[in-house]
Amino acid sequence: MREVKLFINGEMKTSEKSFITTNPANGEPVAKVYLPSEKDIDLAVDAAEAAFQSPEWRNMDQNRRAEILEFIAEKLKERRNELTELEVADSGSSLRKAKADISNASSYFKVLAGQLRKFQFEVKDESASRAGFSTNYKVYEPVGVCAQIIPWNFPLVMAAWKIGPVIASGCTTVLKSAQETPVTAGILAEIINDSGLPKGVVNIVTGGAAEGEYLLKNPKVRKVAFTGSTEVGRKIMQAAGKNLQKLSLELGGKSANIVLDDADLSIAIDGALYAFLYHSGQACDSGTRLFVEQKIYPEFRDALVKRIADVKVGIPSDPATGYGPVINERQATRIMNYIETTKKEGGKLLFGGTKLTNGELAKGHYIAPTLFEVTPDQTIFNEEIFGPVLAITPVKDENEAIKLANKSIYGLAGAVWSKNPERARKVARQLETGTVWINEYHLLNPGMPFGGYKQSGLGREMGEEGLKSYLEVKHLWVSDCDERSKKPWFDAIF
Ligand code: NAD
């Protein structure tokens, strides 16, 4: 069986404790995975600290770092078949989603390399500088040792979004993958080990809450980058407070999808289904609240119910599958509880609402695509479910849609569907959320920032903002007052 080892200081290590990760589609073993002890985690942080202080890494030219990112991009591409197969087995991703994930992870490293080559780590600020008085520079420097923690839903992509900016910025890291899906991060470790990156710059272990908590406690960690639930995000923020570590949080969402009465309905209907069903609804930016203008609501609702029956739920390795199982029994139970709560609260079930157990599906945890018509006071309007469940609410006009869309503790993403670009942009600008698509959903651009307003997070990943979140900025003041008489402010103390 494949083994996923600890990647610490450029070495693949075993440990005393291990577990078998299983396929969510059928419970079959995928790999033997080694769990780090507290001592292993300390060693990983020590390796990251030593690498951060090493002249080899500190002085590495940005073009050389870009070459390393390009090498990783290339190797991910070369090993895409193996990675796809493992991502499907380990996470229950459909084949098509897993293929897209590997390709997206690879292109992220590539785009980042391009960005890095152009990035100016020292910038003279013309407006702040004054001839004969001072020349003022902004100097961008790596924050230091990072602790990075990722969720189980997009395992390789999440690892890429974390490790990429570490290499680009000159930081170092200990990344903890999710215990549910640790396998492809193990392959990324192998690729990184062959990339020419100095040992200890990137260290990768796995584990659950205990390992994550222990990692964050280490005083050598200067920045914490966490992706996961808002609930755990609050704990992370508290933990980071102890040593005032820099913090990036990418958290949950309850994103609004707004269909205006002038939308192209055939696109908007497929878009609304894609928005909440992609990866069984286990995407942080899922469009799980759908607002449809009253004028078109009956027609839209009926067409949506008809079209949803075409979605193919099946085993993930089947190329025809639209979406597969949810990650585990705990997640399935959580989703089914939300479905029961919604029924009890008077939500109108329009489609689905059951587990799917036909044939092979009985071996995993599959949930039918589920549509509820709800009012804003109901639980599923407000809480993230992380499953294939949509809450639909008719609205009288766009103002009501905006008001209800913003009635959420979250603000991660959202979309507006309309044939009138100006009208759509006007609505989009009023949404309190980090990404808004117009007539689109889920697509991300590695050159653009991604992250949340409100309780969906702090800071941004990707784009220039993502890179800068791994950099400190130093104001370098070079005095042009080269005679004592030109410095009358010194006289304040004489
Ligand atoms: P989770 O919050 O339960 O766990 C995330 C990670 O944190 C895992 O690696 C877990 O082992 C670790 N962890 C748990 N408790 C911890 C603690 N006390 N201290 C340190 N580490 C701890 O989330 P999940 O169930 O793995 O993933 C689903 C959630 O992630 C959803 O809420 C989803 O919206 C969110 N998510 C957000 C984004 C984004 O970019 N905003 C992307 C993907 C997923």
Side-chain angles (χ1 to χ4, degrees), residues 149-150 152 176 213 226-229 250-252 284 384 386:
I149 297 183
I150 56 173
W152 44 261
K176 187 196 79 60
E213 273 176 30
F226 170 82
T227 300
S229 59
E250 296 285 352
L251 308 176
C284 52
E384 182 182 51
F386 231 51

Side-chain angles (χ1 to χ4, degrees), residues 61-133:
D61 172 64
Q62 72 195 81
N63 287 319
R64 176 70 194 115
R65 300 206 300 274
E67 278 170 18
I68 291 173
L69 292 171
E70 280 157 357
F71 175 93
I72 298 170
E74 205 44 47
K75 290 292 159 191
L76 288 172
K77 215 153 101 188
E78 276 174 25
R79 293 179 74 171
R80 61 183 174 272
N81 292 341
E82 178 195 7
L83 282 160
T84 303
E85 200 179 303
L86 287 168
E87 201 77 310
V88 169
D90 198 26
S91 73
S93 291
S94 69
L95 193 62
R96 283 182 278 161
K97 184 244 175 202
K99 268 189 191 163
D101 280 3
I102 311 309
S103 158
N104 288 340
S106 167
S107 56
Y108 174 63
F109 280 107
K110 192 154 178 229
V111 171
L112 186 59
Q115 209 182 334
L116 174 58
R117 284 183 194 282
K118 285 192 241 135
F119 190 81
Q120 287 186 294
F121 284 85
E122 185 169 307
V123 185
K124 179 179 165 193
D125 192 314
E126 298 290 351
S127 61
S129 302
R130 266 169 54 199
F133 182 63

Side-chain angles (χ1 to χ4, degrees), residues 343-408:
K343 286 184 192 162
K344 278 194 207 124
E345 289 177 354
K348 191 167 156 199
L349 182 65
L350 301 176
F351 195 89
T354 56
K355 280 191 176 176
L356 298 174
T357 52
N358 292 348
E360 283 288 298
L361 302 197
K363 294 182 185 164
H365 300 282
Y366 294 81
I367 296 181
T370 299
L371 299 177
F372 275 108
E373 192 180 277
V374 306
T375 50
D377 54 318
Q378 285 166 357
T379 306
I380 71 159
F381 184 94
N382 298 298
E383 294 183 12
E384 182 182 51
I385 301 177
F386 231 51
V389 184
L390 180 66
I392 316 174
T393 308
V395 288
K396 70 174 188 299
D397 56 22
E398 65 193 49
N399 292 329
E400 188 181 22
I402 295 163
K403 202 168 135 209
L404 288 179
N406 290 340
K407 188 181 174 309
S408 173

Side-chain angles (χ1 to χ4, degrees), residues 149-154 158 161-162 176-180 207-214 216 226-233 235-236 239 249-253 282-285 330-331 334 384 386 410 412 450-452 456 461:
I149 297 183
I150 56 173
W152 44 261
N153 56 345
F154 286 73
M158 292 292 115
W161 287 12
K162 292 283 179 281
K176 187 196 79 60
S177 64
Q179 195 163 338
E180 293 85 349
E211 286 77 12
E213 273 176 30
Y214 187 77
L216 300 189
F226 170 82
T227 300
S229 59
T230 293
E231 192 188 342
V232 176
K235 292 185 194 162
I236 302 283
L249 297 173
E250 296 285 352
L251 308 176
Q282 303 170 120
C284 52
D285 61 1
R330 188 171 69 98
Q331 190 64 15
R334 177 186 153 91
E384 182 182 51
F386 231 51
Y410 297 112
L412 189 58
F450 179 74
S456 285
E461 289 192 301

